[in-house]
Amino acid sequence: MKKLTMFYDGLCPLCQAEILFLSDRNQAGLLSFVDVNSNRYNADEVGVSCQQALDSMYAQYDDGELINGVDVFSAAYARANLPKLAWLFSRPSLRPILTGAYRFFAKNRHAISGLFGPSALWLVNLTRKDK
């Protein structure tokens, strides 16, 4: 299975919670994470502007192939040993609903995250093993 680098919004508490959750499940080392707001993110190298990366979740396989949107979650969950979530996010019949829901979230993530982010971060940190 190819390694996957996820590009995320480090200023979004819900996004941070998801990355912490996936990091803890990354026993196989098949995931890495780059905050698009950090100096580690190189838009020219990736081929995706910072704004594009903020508008839709992007990830890149170690061979350079880019994926975005719902495909990122399916690939990430598979690599984090979450097969049921990977299966759910890969269902063609659910794709329109999941894509629409993600677009809504991406557009409104800071408002949504303001409501749910602190609780999600608290819960993830509470359940982290020796981190």
Side-chain angles (χ1 to χ4, degrees):
M1 192 176 288
K2 299 186 284 187
K3 186 172 181 179
L4 184 70
T5 299
M6 296 177 67
F7 306 113
Y8 71 98
D9 181 0
L11 300 176
C12 167
L14 274 175
C15 304
Q16 290 174 27
E18 177 77 358
I19 296 307
L20 286 172
F21 174 71
L22 290 171
S23 294
D24 286 349
R25 299 199 51 94
N26 189 25
Q27 289 89 12
L30 293 172
L31 291 170
S32 62
F33 311 95
V34 174
D35 179 354
V36 298
N37 301 298
S38 75
N39 61 3
R40 288 187 56 221
Y41 186 72
N42 184 334
D44 293 331
E45 189 177 293
V46 174
V48 175
S49 74
C50 186
Q51 189 58 53
Q52 287 173 303
L54 290 170
D55 290 343
S56 178
M57 179 61 127
Y58 277 85
Q60 188 171 40
Y61 291 111
D62 55 1
D63 65 4
E65 178 189 355
L66 277 171
I67 59 173
N68 78 311
V70 174
D71 292 337
V72 173
F73 296 102
S74 178
Y77 294 147
R79 284 157 179 75
N81 197 25
L82 294 162
K84 290 178 184 173
L85 281 175
W87 177 86
L88 181 72
F89 276 80
S90 68
R91 298 298 89 203
S93 60
L94 295 178
R95 188 173 195 78
I97 295 165
L98 293 171
T99 298
Y102 181 74
R103 283 186 186 144
F104 177 82
F105 171 78
K107 192 175 284 191
N108 300 287
R109 80 178 155 278
H110 290 286
I112 295 167
S113 194
L115 293 172
F116 302 106
S119 297
L121 268 173
W122 175 80
L123 184 61
V124 168
N125 282 318
L126 181 69
T127 60
R128 294 185 86 198
K129 300 175 193 104
D130 303 321
K131 304 284 180 190

